Amino acid sequence: MNYPENIAEKLGFHQIKEHIQAACLSPMGSEYAAKMKFSTRFPVVKQWVEQVNEMKQIMAEHGGEWPQQDYFDLRPWFAPLTLDGHYLAPEEWRDWHRGLDILYQVIRFFASIDGEKYPEIAKITQNYLNKEEEQGSNFRQIIPIIQELDRVFDMNGQIKETASAALGDLRRKRFAEEQNLRKKLDSYIQQAYKEGWVSKDFSLTLRNGRMVIPLAAEHKRKIKGFVQDESDTGKTVYLEPADALVLNNEIKSLESAERREIIQILSRLSDRVRPMVPMLSAWYQWIGIIDFVRAKAVWAIEHDAILPHLKSSPWVDWKGARHPILEESLAKIGKKIKALDITLDDQKRIMVVSGPNAGGKSVTLSTIGLLQYLFQAGCLVPLTEGSTMGFFDQIFLDMGDEQNLENELSTYSSHLSNMRYFLAHAQEKTLLLVDEFGTGTEPSLGGAIAESILEKLADKGAYGAINTHFGNLKSLADRKQGLFNAAMRYDTTHLEPQFILDMGKPGSSFAFEIAQKIGLPNQIIENARKKLGKSQVDFDKLLMETETEKQIWEAKNTSLSVQLAQAESIKEQYASLKNHLEVEQKRLLNQAKSEAKQLVKDANQKIEQTIREIKEKSAEKEVTKEIRKGLNEFSEKKLKVQAPAAPEKVQKATINGPIAVGSWVAIKQADGEGAVGEVLEMKGKDAVVALGGIRSTIKLNRLEQVKAPKAEKSTRAAMRGIDMNDRMAHFGLTLDVRGKRGEEVYVILDQYMNDALLLGVPEVRILHGKGDGILRNLVKEQLKRYREVKLVQDEHADRGGAGISIVTFK
């Protein structure tokens, strides 16, 4: 049993439940949502969350293929319909008509889904189908009822004239009698106009269900008949002429017969539906379940909630855990929540969380409690892939001020009362969550009691997390089996909380640093340090120094990771260039061989032609000379050997003076032909030199300063326009354009795509959000202009769906 009784309200679960209720399309689904509660039956919870996960997939793949509106609740009419002789009114059948049609479409859709792909959702529908087979009924019996309602009622819910032959005859007769009566009364009113008994604005009307003419009261005796009514002032009477009496009586008789026929039609419809009430009752229970599961899937999609790996025993291995209510609140003001990575296992069961005030300790506890409660109530949870969700029999929560004036309990007494309950009922499958453990009384005494309680809870094998500022509890967590320290990260440079949970080490409260930041006088702070004692000050100082060093090394690691990525990229470029050069070399050799073969062939042909011509001319001296001259010209033009151009020697006039950034230098070599480059950066006894398109770090003693060659200088100046390393270091594989205007998106996306193509990345992600789809369409239209784009597709539904476009390059 969870503790306290209002734990769901304390954790904020009731807000999520209300959200899910609001997402339901029907009262049936809303009723199921209102009954959501924590379950201790693992097979049931597993079935619940798998149903929601499958519904998410169905909505992503077939979202618009079944009706998601007009889920009328027909259940209030089921009980009256079971009574013989009861029939539904036409306006009630209007709701039945639409309700049965929607019900049939939803059943048909879910009855046809792939049972292997969606086994849990299919199981819900199959259970009801199997029950019908046992009872000898079938949901397709709804179709004839829908067809009959189509035949009887028009689109406005009025009974058609063709609903029965008798009704058609009665309505035609009544219409004919009404026409006859209208003609007769029109003749009376025309006479009254002429005689001045009525004004021109008077016309035929109905009184007491009978057609009459209006007449000035003083002229009522001018026409023989019966007064059916009079105006409020008494100046006008509504007269039924005597010879119209028979016609009015006939019309009334026909109307009565029509009503009786309509009752017969409605009764026959009700009689047809009456045997189906048990089946319809079951199917409305089913549609309530489907609607409820759909509403939970809608909530999961809105909050990027997933189905993690499941474990039937106590366990917490969460990655990217987010408090859904806090995340939603932050999103409204344009901020993002900091996700938490939390692990509780059989070796480290209870986490002792320390850190500064307002650093996120209470949010961490609330996140653990709410996500576990959500999961065991059958909801997906806002985590990232790779997380594992364990199972607990009970959650104990001690959070907030629980003063009770009626029972004269102080805050501390209330905390102790909760701890007494924890000690009496905690066991191996209990999840404990305690905020500000041990506070509310004299610190040394409260700390000692808290330490004793924590030791006992650890011995009981319970899991959980507690928040504290007490040093003795941090120390206990380091030496007691089952306990471990954790801290909320704090930026020691700017003295600001970072709301990130670090596992495995205690944190400082940073009380002195925070006091100094808000402007408390230094004298007060120093005096407080003296009063606290050297050991405690040294301990907090050590924690702060450790945190500072950790942040420094993390920054260095990040920098090294970027440099390593750059080096790997350059390595790949060099390998690609080498491969290109080898291929080009082979191509040129093959081309040269081919040309040489062709030259030899041409030369042989020319020689053979020359010999043949000499023989044909019988060796005439002048002709022979001309032929030989032609052969020599061919040899000089076609077979002339061209010496390779000598490489242009770069002037390397040595310049005296220190080497600095911007200097041109040459690498010292014995032959004096060392490569020349420009110094980009100085690093102590080393210099970063640009040798063509390559950056290289070289010892200063291996370099000599030379004059800058003109060609090299201009080339280098041109190359400064694009710094590949800088582009690579600042390029991200995801571009976020949410909230941007259209003209901004064009510029940002164009620059980003150019960088992506320049760096040769295979794939990028454009985060544009869903909204009304305007920004999404704009992005996709612009991407069509790039011939290098191979494919543009939406992200997986679990990771953003239509709000993210994945761009794959050729």
Side-chain angles (χ1 to χ4, degrees), residues 539-739:
F539 178 72
D540 279 353
K541 183 180 179 182
L542 180 62
L543 284 176
M544 183 173 180
E545 290 174 351
T546 303
E547 180 65 23
T548 302
E549 289 179 4
K550 179 177 180 293
Q551 292 176 15
I552 291 171
W553 284 109
E554 284 181 348
K556 289 185 176 180
N557 283 338
T558 302
S559 177
L560 288 173
S561 297
V562 172
Q563 293 178 21
L564 181 61
Q566 292 175 354
E568 288 294 328
S569 178
I570 292 172
K571 180 181 176 182
E572 290 178 4
Q573 291 179 27
Y574 286 163
S576 176
L577 179 60
K578 180 183 177 184
N579 183 60
H580 172 73
L581 290 175
E582 289 176 351
V583 171
E584 188 66 14
Q585 182 183 28
K586 290 179 180 178
R587 187 186 67 79
L588 291 173
L589 284 173
N590 290 334
Q591 182 180 348
K593 289 177 181 179
S594 176
E595 291 177 355
K597 286 180 180 179
Q598 186 63 39
L599 282 172
V600 171
K601 182 180 178 180
D602 292 346
N604 288 335
Q605 289 177 352
K606 189 66 175 176
I607 292 169
E608 289 173 1
Q609 181 183 355
T610 301
I611 294 171
R612 186 170 58 253
E613 287 179 357
I614 290 173
K615 288 180 178 180
E616 288 174 355
K617 300 297 182 179
S618 302
E620 293 179 8
K621 186 175 182 181
E622 292 300 324
V623 175
T624 302
K625 283 182 180 181
E626 289 297 323
I627 294 173
R628 287 184 179 278
K629 185 179 177 181
L631 181 61
N632 290 335
E633 288 177 355
F634 171 81
S635 176
E636 288 177 2
K637 289 181 180 178
K638 296 289 185 178
L639 303 179
K640 183 178 180 181
V641 177
Q642 296 180 355
E648 183 182 348
K649 298 227 174 162
V650 180
Q651 183 181 3
K652 296 184 181 176
T654 305
I655 301 175
N656 295 326
I659 296 173
V661 174
S663 299
W664 282 84
V665 294
I667 300 174
K668 295 177 182 178
Q669 289 188 11
D671 59 3
E673 296 297 330
V676 175
E678 183 183 359
V679 176
L680 301 179
E681 186 179 351
M682 299 295 294
K683 292 185 177 180
K685 295 182 179 181
D686 297 336
V688 178
V689 182
L691 301 171
I694 303 172
R695 293 163 59 103
S696 180
T697 303
I698 306 171
K699 296 288 184 184
L700 288 173
N701 57 14
R702 293 189 54 210
L703 301 173
E704 56 183 354
Q705 191 171 185
V706 298
K707 289 183 179 180
K710 293 181 181 179
E712 289 284 333
K713 190 171 184 179
S714 62
T715 302
R716 184 60 200 162
M719 288 182 64
R720 285 184 183 174
I722 300 177
D723 189 339
M724 292 294 291
N725 292 330
D726 184 70
R727 290 281 177 94
M728 210 174 299
H730 294 89
F731 185 82
L733 295 177
T734 299
L735 174 64
D736 188 350
V737 295
R738 292 177 299 177

Side-chain angles (χ1 to χ4, degrees), residues 103 110 155 168 243 353 419 635 679 754 785:
L103 174 64
F110 282 98
M155 294 182 65
D243 54 356
V353 186
M419 291 305 104
S635 176
V679 176
N754 289 339
R785 298 190 297 107

Side-chain angles (χ1 to χ4, degrees), residues 87-112:
Y87 61 89
L88 299 178
E91 59 272 14
E92 293 173 331
W93 279 115
R94 183 175 59 235
D95 290 345
W96 271 74
H97 192 181
R98 183 61 177 154
L100 290 177
D101 186 39
I102 295 297
L103 174 64
Y104 175 73
Q105 291 183 52
V106 177
I107 296 174
R108 186 177 62 177
F109 172 80
F110 282 98
S112 64

Side-chain angles (χ1 to χ4, degrees), residues 67-279:
Q68 296 186 40
Q69 59 183 359
D70 294 342
Y71 282 33
F72 290 102
D73 185 7
L74 305 184
R75 295 174 301 169
W77 289 289
F78 289 165
L81 266 178
T82 58
L83 303 174
D84 288 338
H86 182 84
Y87 61 89
L88 299 178
E91 59 272 14
E92 293 173 331
W93 279 115
R94 183 175 59 235
D95 290 345
W96 271 74
H97 192 181
R98 183 61 177 154
L100 290 177
D101 186 39
I102 295 297
L103 174 64
Y104 175 73
Q105 291 183 52
V106 177
I107 296 174
R108 186 177 62 177
F109 172 80
F110 282 98
S112 64
I113 65 169
D114 187 345
E116 294 184 0
K117 190 173 182 180
Y118 310 112
E120 292 301 329
I121 293 294
K123 194 183 298 180
I124 299 174
T125 307
Q126 288 302 321
N127 286 342
Y128 284 89
L129 287 174
N130 293 338
K131 288 178 184 176
E132 284 198 353
E133 290 175 1
E134 293 173 2
Q135 298 169 0
S137 59
N138 190 290
F139 76 92
R140 290 181 178 83
Q141 294 178 13
I142 298 173
I143 298 176
I145 301 298
I146 296 173
Q147 293 172 340
E148 182 68 7
L149 292 174
D150 282 333
R151 188 185 68 80
V152 172
F153 296 97
D154 62 20
M155 294 182 65
N156 298 317
Q158 301 299 316
I159 296 179
K160 295 178 181 178
E161 187 174 299
T162 56
S164 73
L167 180 64
D169 289 341
L170 289 169
R171 285 187 175 177
R172 285 189 292 274
K173 288 179 181 178
R174 179 169 60 85
F175 180 76
E177 294 295 336
E178 286 175 349
Q179 290 296 100
N180 292 335
L181 177 60
R182 188 178 296 277
K183 289 178 182 178
K184 186 174 289 294
L185 292 179
D186 278 342
S187 65
Y188 276 108
I189 206 165
Q190 289 299 326
Q191 179 187 355
Y193 286 155
K194 290 178 182 179
E195 299 293 340
W197 301 338
V198 295
S199 63
K200 289 289 185 181
D201 56 346
F202 280 22
S203 61
L204 299 180
T205 185
L206 285 173
R207 284 295 185 274
N208 299 324
R210 305 175 76 85
M211 198 174 295
V212 295
I213 59 173
L215 212 64
E218 61 267 24
H219 301 298
K220 65 182 179 181
R221 299 188 185 279
K222 301 289 179 66
I223 298 176
K224 186 178 179 180
F226 307 93
V227 175
Q228 293 291 346
D229 197 4
E230 63 180 23
S231 66
D232 294 337
T233 61
K235 293 182 179 180
T236 303
V237 297
Y238 298 96
L239 184 74
E240 179 184 13
D243 54 356
L245 177 66
V246 175
L247 289 175
N248 264 323
N249 287 341
E250 181 62 22
I251 291 171
K252 293 294 288 183
S253 176
L254 290 171
E255 287 176 348
S256 297
E258 182 180 342
R259 280 196 297 273
R260 288 194 296 272
E261 179 60 23
I262 287 174
I263 290 174
Q264 290 293 324
I265 293 170
L266 297 177
S267 295
R268 285 195 294 271
L269 274 175
S270 299
D271 290 342
R272 288 197 63 178
V273 172
R274 187 170 290 113
M276 299 172 60
V277 166
M279 179 191 74

Side-chain angles (χ1 to χ4, degrees), residues 403-570:
Q403 293 189 54
N404 190 325
L405 299 178
E406 184 178 343
N407 296 327
E408 298 182 352
L409 288 179
S410 67
T411 301
Y412 184 64
S413 297
S414 174
H415 285 314
L416 286 183
S417 178
N418 291 339
M419 291 305 104
R420 181 181 62 188
Y421 185 91
F422 287 15
L423 290 169
H425 298 90
Q427 37 92 356
E428 293 179 352
K429 291 189 175 182
T430 301
L431 180 64
L432 306 167
L433 301 169
V434 185
D435 195 23
E436 300 296 342
F437 195 34
T439 57
T441 188
E442 200 278 322
S444 59
L445 299 178
I449 294 174
E451 184 175 345
S452 179
I453 293 172
L454 185 55
E455 283 182 322
K456 186 64 176 177
L457 292 174
D459 291 338
K460 283 178 167 285
Y463 288 69
I466 69 162
N467 292 344
T468 187
H469 290 285
F470 289 163
N472 64 316
L473 298 183
K474 302 175 192 177
S475 178
L476 175 65
D478 277 337
R479 65 177 189 273
K480 177 69 176 176
Q481 185 177 1
L483 304 179
F484 69 101
N485 274 303
M488 301 308 300
R489 190 178 299 180
Y490 195 73
D491 186 345
T492 56
T493 304
H494 301 94
L495 297 179
E496 294 177 349
Q498 295 182 318
F499 306 105
I500 297 173
L501 180 67
D502 288 328
M503 313 281 286
K505 69 177 186 63
S508 171
S509 298
F510 297 98
F512 292 131
E513 290 73 23
I514 294 173
Q516 190 170 11
K517 181 185 178 183
I518 66 173
L520 206 63
N522 290 334
Q523 184 180 358
I524 299 294
I525 296 172
E526 291 304 319
N527 192 27
R529 290 182 190 274
K530 293 176 183 178
K531 291 180 180 294
L532 181 61
K534 188 174 185 303
S535 60
Q536 183 62 41
V537 171
D538 288 345
F539 178 72
D540 279 353
K541 183 180 179 182
L542 180 62
L543 284 176
M544 183 173 180
E545 290 174 351
T546 303
E547 180 65 23
T548 302
E549 289 179 4
K550 179 177 180 293
Q551 292 176 15
I552 291 171
W553 284 109
E554 284 181 348
K556 289 185 176 180
N557 283 338
T558 302
S559 177
L560 288 173
S561 297
V562 172
Q563 293 178 21
L564 181 61
Q566 292 175 354
E568 288 294 328
S569 178
I570 292 172

